Amino acid sequence: MTPAANDIEFRSVTKRYGAVTAVSDINLAVPKGAFVALLGPSGCGKTTCLRMIGGFEHPSEGEVFVGGAEMNGVPAYRRPVNMVFQQYALFPHFDVENNVAYGLRQLRPRLAKAEITRRVGEALEMVRLDGYAKRRIHEMSGGQQQRVALARALVNKPSVLLLDEPLAALDKKLRTAMQFELQTLQRELGITFVLVTHDQEEALSMSDLVCVMNAGSIRQLASPTEIYDRPADLFVADFVGKTNRLAATVDPANGSVTLANGRTLAVARARAMGAGEVTVALRPEVIRLARTSNANGALLEGTVTHRIFLGSSAEYSISVPGLGDLLVTTERHGTADSDLVEPGETVAMNFDPGEAHIFPA
Ligand SMILES: Nc1ncnc2c1ncn2[C@@H]1O[C@H](COP(=O)(O)OP(=O)(O)O)[C@@H](O)[C@H]1O
Ligand SMILES: [Mg+2]
């Protein structure tokens, strides 16, 4: 793709802080108007990438493009970009209006007072805080402060909005509500959002594209469903959602894998592998559980060791001879106790072998 088709592009970008390589030879292209999430464990280089887009850090090697233009040497305030910081960095003793207007007042040539008032009003409306202009920051809840930080970034009409763990300080209920709102806001504004998070639920629920990172590198860039259903490697399979890892050997000629307990499964994608040791990755929700007495044959059998009741679902740890402990989740469809299996019971487990992913061991 040409840089013009993308709002953000990284070309072979490396960032070093002294001896630490925070970002290592990253290539990334984000289309205009996309909502992309940079997802990965703490320290993997997400914030560093965001700060290089914003112009608060500069690549040691490679180039960053924004809106088709090369940004090396372009200072932060000249980029068509605004950032919402992890700690909102609001002025606690100013009121909302003065916090939001702050950046506009620094512009030269000066904006007319009426223009500033109009744009602040518009930004507060976008984040549904109209009516709060005179409220002081320390009198507002965490969720409201989050909105002020958003309004302060949006008032500059950026073409790219950068958000660093914007919901981390909020409680679970509010976080879910803000996930909906951020998604709606992004659709309404049509500008590119780049969101940094270590929370997979946040990344999957809001974005069009998820960029999974580890140790300064990109492991996979794809839609949320693609990331979850077709993880590129074991790291992605483990980091996004839960995964059972089963040791196995693959027989490509027969299109089968043999698990450590001797059970052989026909798995079409085994044909594409080289013969040898592999890890089979199986999501906990693709395994169907039945009491052994009700089962009509089973791929695997085991004993329930733990159950975690989660209301609408349950998580089981099941000990399978020769394989170890498997995690299985089941949805509940009613309140019948018989839906739930008890610790100590033996169970039959079945799954579609096509749901198993195979990775080199
Ligand atoms: N200003 C800095 N000086 C030195 N090391 C840094 C600096 N900023 C980040 N790092 C290091 O770079 C790596 C990536 O950090 P960061 O991008 O903040 O990760 P993330 O946002 O994914 O948690 C970490 O090892 C971190 O300690
Ligand atoms: Mg960070």
Side-chain angles (χ1 to χ4, degrees):
M1 263 193 275
T2 63
N6 294 311
D7 221 8
I8 298 163
E9 194 174 335
F10 279 42
R11 289 197 192 163
S12 306
V13 171
T14 292
K15 175 66 185 179
R16 281 181 289 267
Y17 298 104
V20 178
T21 301
V23 166
S24 176
D25 195 22
I26 278 190
N27 289 287
L28 170 69
V30 178
K32 198 165 177 50
F35 193 149
V36 63
L38 306 183
L39 172 68
S42 181
C44 73
K46 306 179 296 294
T47 296
T48 301
C49 284
L50 208 64
R51 292 175 64 84
M52 287 192 286
I53 302 169
F56 306 102
E57 296 291 352
H58 300 280
S60 310
E61 285 167 38
E63 296 90 43
V64 173
F65 291 77
V66 178
E70 211 247 348
M71 288 287 128
N72 290 13
V74 178
Y77 66 91
R78 290 213 182 279
R79 298 188 181 198
V81 164
N82 251 272
M83 182 145 165
V84 178
F85 292 91
Q86 198 161 1
Q87 312 300 331
Y88 312 141
L90 299 170
F91 303 110
H93 301 294
F94 283 15
D95 63 16
V96 168
E97 186 171 35
N98 280 307
N99 265 281
V100 177
Y102 185 82
L104 294 181
R105 296 213 174 102
Q106 313 306 310
L107 294 178
R108 299 293 178 270
R110 284 178 186 279
L111 293 178
K113 225 174 163 184
E115 172 70 1
I116 293 180
T117 307
R118 192 185 62 76
R119 281 178 57 181
V120 169
E122 236 176 48
L124 289 179
E125 220 168 280
M126 282 179 208
V127 299
R128 292 158 187 95
L129 275 185
D130 24 343
Y132 286 85
K134 301 295 176 198
R135 198 69 89 81
R136 281 169 200 278
I137 295 303
H138 63 80
E139 296 166 349
M140 303 188 82
S141 71
Q144 290 169 332
Q145 291 186 22
Q146 167 64 63
R147 285 164 208 253
V148 178
L150 267 173
R152 194 180 50 176
L154 292 171
V155 79
N156 300 303
K157 304 195 171 164
S159 64
V160 175
L161 188 68
L162 308 175
L163 301 129
D164 194 354
E165 310 258 5
L167 309 182
L170 308 180
D171 64 50
K172 170 97 176 126
K173 267 226 165 95
L174 197 53
R175 210 156 64 221
T176 310
M178 282 302 289
Q179 283 172 14
F180 280 112
E181 285 202 22
L182 274 181
Q183 195 177 41
T184 307
L185 186 66
Q186 194 267 340
R187 302 277 184 275
E188 283 171 7
L189 298 174
I191 66 176
T192 307
F193 273 33
V194 185
L195 173 125
V196 159
T197 181
H198 64 273
D199 182 302
Q200 45 144 325
E201 184 197 305
E202 210 166 283
L204 294 179
S205 66
M206 282 192 282
S207 55
D208 315 308
L209 275 176
V210 180
C211 178
V212 184
M213 295 179 61
N214 188 39
S217 299
I218 295 178
R219 294 303 192 92
Q220 192 170 8
L221 174 69
S223 70
T225 47
E226 181 88 12
I227 295 274
Y228 191 85
D229 293 343
R230 280 179 289 280
D233 60 26
L234 265 177
F235 175 81
V236 176
D238 270 337
F239 193 77
V240 181
K242 293 178 177 170
T243 288
N244 289 296
R245 293 165 165 244
L246 308 175
T249 53
V250 68
D251 180 351
N254 283 322
S256 67
V257 293
T258 300
L259 301 178
N261 67 348
R263 168 62 91 170
T264 296
L265 309 172
V267 183
R269 48 174 77 111
R271 293 188 189 282
M273 307 280 301
E277 309 276 299
V278 290
T279 300
V280 170
L282 200 57
R283 295 285 189 202
E285 70 275 15
V286 308
I287 303 173
R288 295 182 300 276
L289 278 192
R291 292 194 164 80
T292 325
S293 51
N294 299 337
N296 200 354
L299 282 177
L300 300 172
E301 280 192 21
T303 308
V304 177
T305 55
H306 293 284
R307 182 181 74 201
I308 299 173
F309 177 60
L310 295 170
S312 65
S313 63
E315 272 186 24
Y316 296 95
S317 177
I318 296 172
S319 168
V320 181
L323 285 186
D325 292 335
L326 263 67
L327 180 70
V328 178
T329 54
T330 59
E331 290 296 315
R332 296 189 80 202
H333 301 291
T335 53
D337 278 340
S338 61
D339 283 3
L340 294 168
V341 186
E342 301 298 325
E345 286 193 74
T346 57
V347 285
M349 285 174 274
N350 282 296
F351 53 89
D352 172 0
E355 299 281 2
H357 296 275
I358 312 171
F359 298 106

